[in-house]
Every structure is written in structure tokens, then in C-alpha cells.
Amino acid sequence: MTSAAATSSDAPSRGGEGRKLFTFLCMVFGMFMAILDIQIVSASLAEIQAGLAASSDDIPWIQTSYLIAEVIMIPLSGYLSRMLSTRWMFTISAAGFTLMSLMCATATSIEEMIVWRALQGFLGGGMIPTVFATAYLIFPREKFNVISPIIGLVATLAPTIGPTLGGYITDYGSWHWLFLINVVPGIFVTLAAVTLIDFDKPDLSLFDHFDWVGFAAMAVFLGSLEFVLEEGNGEDWFQSEEIVLFTAVMLMGAAVFFWRAFTAREPVVDLTAFSNKNFAMGSLFSFVLGIGLYGLTYLYPVYLAGVRGYTSLQIGETMFVSGLAMFLTAPLAGRLMSVLDPRVMMGIGFAGFAAGTWLMTGITQDWDFYELLLPQILRGSSLMLCMVPINNIALGMLPPQMIKNASGLFNLTRNLGGAVGLAIINTVLSQRQDFHYARLQESVNGARAPVTETLAGLTQTYQSLGDDAATAALKALSGMVTKQAFLMSFIDVFLILTLLFLSLLATIFFVERPKPMGGGGGGH
């Protein structure tokens, strides 16, 4: 059989194996930079806003433009990789990402920054699924218990440590270094890609059959979907004409995209991988994992900043525990892959994740590093125990010719899971906070002794304000009620996440047990 996987057979020399592994690790580093750049900026948006004299309405587009562009490129990458070859696809992605990082650092206006960020996300997004596909094409199955933890660790660790690294960089340097830090490593990855990658050959005939209509429809569909999910809660969802308009555009784009996916001679995204039961289930797990990964990376900082008053640097240091737990669990996950049924591993991971979020339902306004320690360890360890078998179940069992397209779809599900999860989390936080505030307000009235005692104590505290002491006391009491309602809405979100991950335990039974790891290339 002639395929990229063939390079991994016929007893390659030790030198050839070493070169292949080094090349792959260089590619993994490029993927790490692309994923890291989603979150590294999030902790420093205020500094960028001040540096570019941007409005508070414009500054979220630094993130939104990157995410929209990336989510368009990820599923397209499989077609481009087959057309250009892995070497040129990855080289162009790495070089473009590096150049756009430099342009972001030199931006002098918010408009420039948004354009460069969009191009950075689009070009960098091509590296992520290309690395996943390469892992399962060039290495034999007996190596998956080593290779899969590497890509799993990078895919989960990068967004987790992003706020930490971003906080340090901005605290000790300036926001420009959030982008400049990519330049030297990016040049190295680009040179490594162009000189070392030789896994497959280009098929330029695919350019003649490129489905431009399908590509445009996919861009409109996924771009509008990402926009609606990012902006929906802030715009009060369908109370906003803009959200209604983009939802309509999204549905039209989706209709054209799916029509072209099933009728075009060479569709830009081949959806036939979903006919494979394990790939379909793996993609579902990846979607939910995206909710947990990006959702908790968002929730912890919101609590630490809004309730505890932490700086971005303190938040990063507190959340570093999850990253450390992932790092330490990765080798264990690799070892377990060779002795445990991957479905059992996923079950342990899902149960551990649910246990971590369940512990968070006891959160109070006094929780600090040590109270958050065990939930964060459970989160980090469980993510790794889930991610490694999910990758293998989804991609490791596919025929080689399907892997490039399937890798794009698989990575898309994780990103869309994160976007859907954040949209739901923000909506639940907002609506449940209003609900809890209204309920607490009913019980906080002057007829109750604890309320009058608290007000009297607060008035005494603010007595230096003279006649304004009573007003200040009322404001302080209102703030206490608001904070408590905020915490109660957090508990609701963690309860929902707990139930979500517990429900995944039932779906494991729909996964077919992969064949024991033996010889052969990826997908055999």
C-alpha cells in the first residue's frame, strides 16, 4: 500500500527513527505556540487596550478575530495538506504564524491588531490538525502510547498555562512580548519543517478541483457560528438584531456547506469519517472535553479576580497547579494505554473530572489556593487520562487515507466545544446570578433581625461619613448580596459540568474496543 504510513514500516534504521521523532517534536512545538496564543493574550487585554487606545467594545475582537479565523482553517487543513504535502502546509503555516506574530507586536491601532490577529489565527490554525494527523500516519501503533500523551499534553497544557505565562510576560515586560516571544522559536520551527519533513508528496491536481463555493460556505458557517457564540451573551442573544442576522447567515452557510460536502467532486471537508463509530464517539468526547478544558480555564480566573481580587499574575500562579498535574500525569497515561482498556481510562478520567467539579460546588468567598488545590489536581490529571485514549480511539483506528481530513474535524470539535461551553457558562452565570439575587433580596429585608443587626454594624463602620453612613451601609449590604448571588451562580455551573461528565460514563459503552496494539503503521 502506498501512503504516508508506509514510511513507518520495513524496520527503519535507528537514525531514521530519531530524525522522524525530532522532526515530529519540532512540529509539536509549533502546535504548542498556536494553541498557547489563544489564551496567552487573555490575561493582558487591559494592557493592550491601554497601549492601542482601544475602546472596551473593540478589545474583545483581539480574541474573537483569532478564534474565528482559526476555526475556519482547522477543518480546511486536511485538504490543503493533501494538496501541498505536510512539508509545505506546515512550513507555510509556521512561517505565516511567525510573521503575523511580529506584525501584532508592531501594531499601532486596534484595527491593525485585529487584522494581524485574524491572519495569525488562520495561518497558525493549520499546524494543529497537521500535527495530530502526522502522529497517526508516521508512527506504528506500538508507539501510540508514547506519541499520544505528547500531543494530548500540548493540546491541554497550552491553554491552561496561557494565562500564567501571559501574566508573567506582561508583568515583567510589556504586552508586545506576548507576540515577540513567538518569533525566534517560529523561525526555528519553520526551518525545521522545510528541511526535515518528508513524509508525503503533494497532489497539486487537487487545486484544479478545489471547491471554492464549499470553502466560502464553510467560512461563512463556522465564522458566523463562532461570532454568535462569542458575542451572544453580551448582546442578550436573540434580543439583538445583529445576533439574529448572523444566526440566519450561519444557517444559510451551513446549508450550502453540507450540500457541497455531499455533492462536490472533491469537498473541502470530507465528512465520511463520521461513518466510523469510534471516530464519531471520539469527536463527541472531544467536544465535551473542550467544554471542560476551556470552560474551567475561564471560570477559575473569573472567580479569583471577581471574588478574591487577584491580579492576573496571582491567578496564573494559582492555576499553575492544573498544568503541573497534566505534566506529571502524561507519562502515567502513556503507560496505562499499554495495559488498560482505553474505555476504562476514559471512565476514570470522566469520573475524576466530575469529582473535581463536584468539589467546587462547595465554593465560598473565602476559598483560596489550598481549597482549590484538590479540584485543580483532579482536573489536570483527569484531562490527560481522557485525552490520550480519546485521541487514539478517534484517529488511531482510521485508515491512513482518511486521517488528514479526520484530524481537522476532530480538532474542530474540541474548539467548538470550548466556544459552545463558554457561551453556555456565561449565559448560566448571568441568568442564575439575577435569579439568586432576586431570591436573596426577598429574604434580606428590615423585618429580619440578622439584617437589621448587619446594617447597624455596617453603619457603625461607616460612621466617619456622617449623614452618608446609612447609605454607605446599604450599598455595602447590596454588594454582599451581589457577591453571594455571584457565588451561587458559580455553584450552578459546576453542578451542570459535574452532571455532564457523569453522563459521559454511560456513552463509553457505545465505543468499540480497539484491537490490541501490535505492529503496523498508523491506522492499521
Side-chain angles (χ1 to χ4, degrees):
M1 175 191 254
T2 26
S3 73
T7 59
S8 62
S9 57
D10 302 327
S13 68
R14 186 172 298 176
E17 281 292 319
R19 180 177 184 271
K20 188 191 298 180
L21 181 60
F22 177 75
T23 305
F24 177 71
L25 291 176
C26 291
M27 294 175 69
V28 167
F29 189 70
M31 180 180 81
F32 177 80
M33 290 194 300
I35 299 177
L36 183 72
D37 243 61
I38 300 169
Q39 295 293 338
I40 196 172
V41 174
S42 62
S44 308
L45 289 176
E47 288 81 357
I48 298 174
Q49 180 180 351
L52 297 177
S55 71
S56 56
D57 290 334
D58 289 335
I59 205 68
W61 275 96
I62 291 178
Q63 290 291 74
T64 304
S65 61
Y66 187 98
L67 291 169
I68 288 175
E70 184 187 56
V71 87
I72 293 169
M73 169 54 92
I74 284 176
L76 179 65
S77 62
Y79 192 97
L80 294 179
S81 184
R82 288 189 297 132
M83 183 173 75
L84 300 173
S85 78
T86 301
R87 168 188 281 175
W88 292 112
M89 173 63 192
F90 200 88
T91 298
I92 293 168
S93 290
F97 176 83
T98 304
L99 178 60
M100 291 308 118
S101 296
L102 181 62
M103 298 308 292
C104 285
T106 58
T108 56
S109 69
I110 186 63
E111 292 79 13
E112 280 184 40
M113 175 64 83
I114 290 170
V115 170
W116 302 136
R117 276 289 279 175
L119 289 170
Q120 186 191 31
F122 185 75
L123 291 161
M127 289 190 279
I128 301 166
T130 304
V131 169
F132 274 77
T134 299
Y136 291 99
L137 281 171
I138 69 169
F139 293 104
R141 285 198 61 208
E142 62 266 20
K143 298 288 186 184
F144 287 1
N145 61 339
V146 176
I147 299 302
S148 194
I150 293 174
I151 57 175
L153 179 64
V154 169
T156 52
L157 185 63
T160 303
I161 68 167
T164 308
L165 188 58
Y168 272 111
I169 291 171
T170 307
D171 209 56
Y172 293 107
S174 72
W175 64 263
H176 302 84
W177 284 99
L178 297 172
F179 306 105
L180 290 173
I181 197 174
N182 293 328
V183 175
V184 173
I187 291 171
F188 167 76
V189 169
T190 303
L191 292 174
V194 77
T195 55
L196 296 174
I197 297 176
D198 58 357
F199 310 138
D200 51 18
K201 302 294 181 185
D203 182 3
L204 296 178
S205 67
L206 288 172
F207 185 78
D208 298 331
H209 308 298
F210 188 82
D211 183 16
W212 294 100
V213 174
F215 169 62
M218 183 186 73
V220 169
F221 164 42
L222 293 176
S224 299
L225 174 61
E226 187 76 33
F227 174 82
V228 168
L229 292 172
E230 284 283 315
E231 303 294 323
N233 185 62
E235 299 292 333
D236 202 15
W237 292 103
F238 297 108
Q239 303 302 312
S240 162
E241 291 182 5
E242 192 176 44
I243 296 299
V244 171
L245 172 64
F246 273 94
T247 301
V249 170
M250 176 194 76
L251 293 173
M252 288 188 288
V256 175
F257 167 69
F258 285 111
W259 168 59
R260 295 301 296 174
F262 292 109
T263 59
R265 176 176 172 178
E266 287 284 353
V268 287
V269 179
D270 185 356
L271 301 177
T272 55
F274 284 111
S275 62
N276 180 288
K277 186 177 175 182
N278 273 11
F279 177 77
M281 292 305 300
S283 296
L284 172 65
F285 296 147
S286 177
F287 182 89
V288 178
L289 209 62
I291 297 175
L293 173 61
Y294 291 104
L296 292 185
T297 302
Y298 169 77
L299 277 170
Y300 281 104
V302 170
Y303 164 77
L304 291 169
V307 177
R308 301 294 299 168
Y310 277 24
T311 65
S312 57
L313 187 59
Q314 289 174 315
I315 292 169
E317 289 172 344
T318 303
M319 291 186 65
F320 187 71
V321 173
S322 285
L324 185 61
M326 288 179 197
F327 186 79
L328 295 176
T329 308
L332 173 64
R335 290 292 299 274
L336 289 176
M337 274 301 297
S338 54
V339 295
L340 271 186
D341 183 333
R343 295 173 299 180
V344 173
M345 274 187 71
M346 286 192 296
I348 295 170
F350 295 150
F353 206 105
T357 51
W358 172 251
L359 287 174
M360 289 299 294
T361 59
I363 194 170
T364 71
Q365 64 183 23
D366 300 317
W367 276 35
D368 214 324
F369 179 86
Y370 291 104
E371 288 81 5
L372 296 174
L373 184 64
L374 182 56
Q376 287 207 83
I377 291 172
L378 284 169
R379 171 200 171 207
S381 300
S382 300
L383 270 171
M384 281 308 303
L385 290 175
C386 292
M387 189 71 169
V388 172
I390 287 172
N391 290 347
N392 282 353
I393 281 171
L395 298 174
M397 305 300 123
L398 290 174
Q401 66 272 17
M402 294 178 68
I403 287 179
K404 287 187 177 181
N405 270 313
S407 176
L409 291 169
F410 178 69
N411 281 276
L412 176 65
T413 58
R414 187 175 62 254
N415 280 36
L416 288 181
V420 170
L422 288 176
I424 293 172
I425 286 168
N426 274 318
T427 302
V428 171
L429 283 177
S430 176
Q431 293 184 355
R432 295 298 291 178
Q433 183 177 356
D434 292 343
F435 170 80
H436 289 304
Y437 186 84
R439 293 292 298 272
L440 289 170
Q441 206 172 29
E442 293 171 7
S443 59
V444 180
N445 58 70
R448 299 187 64 204
V451 177
T452 54
E453 289 171 9
T454 303
L455 268 176
L458 289 169
T459 304
Q460 185 70 22
T461 302
Y462 294 114
Q463 63 180 345
S464 61
L465 298 176
D467 294 339
D468 293 328
T471 304
L474 276 172
K475 284 184 178 178
L477 183 62
S478 175
M480 290 165 64
V481 173
T482 300
K483 182 178 283 189
Q484 193 59 40
F486 186 54
L487 275 172
M488 291 171 78
S489 69
F490 263 75
I491 291 170
D492 292 341
V493 169
F494 283 116
L495 183 59
I496 291 170
L497 289 173
T498 301
L499 294 173
L500 177 64
F501 275 88
L502 283 177
S503 68
L504 285 184
L505 289 171
T507 63
I508 291 173
F509 297 104
F510 294 99
V511 177
E512 294 177 7
R513 179 172 184 171
K515 295 174 184 176
M517 289 189 180
H524 290 275

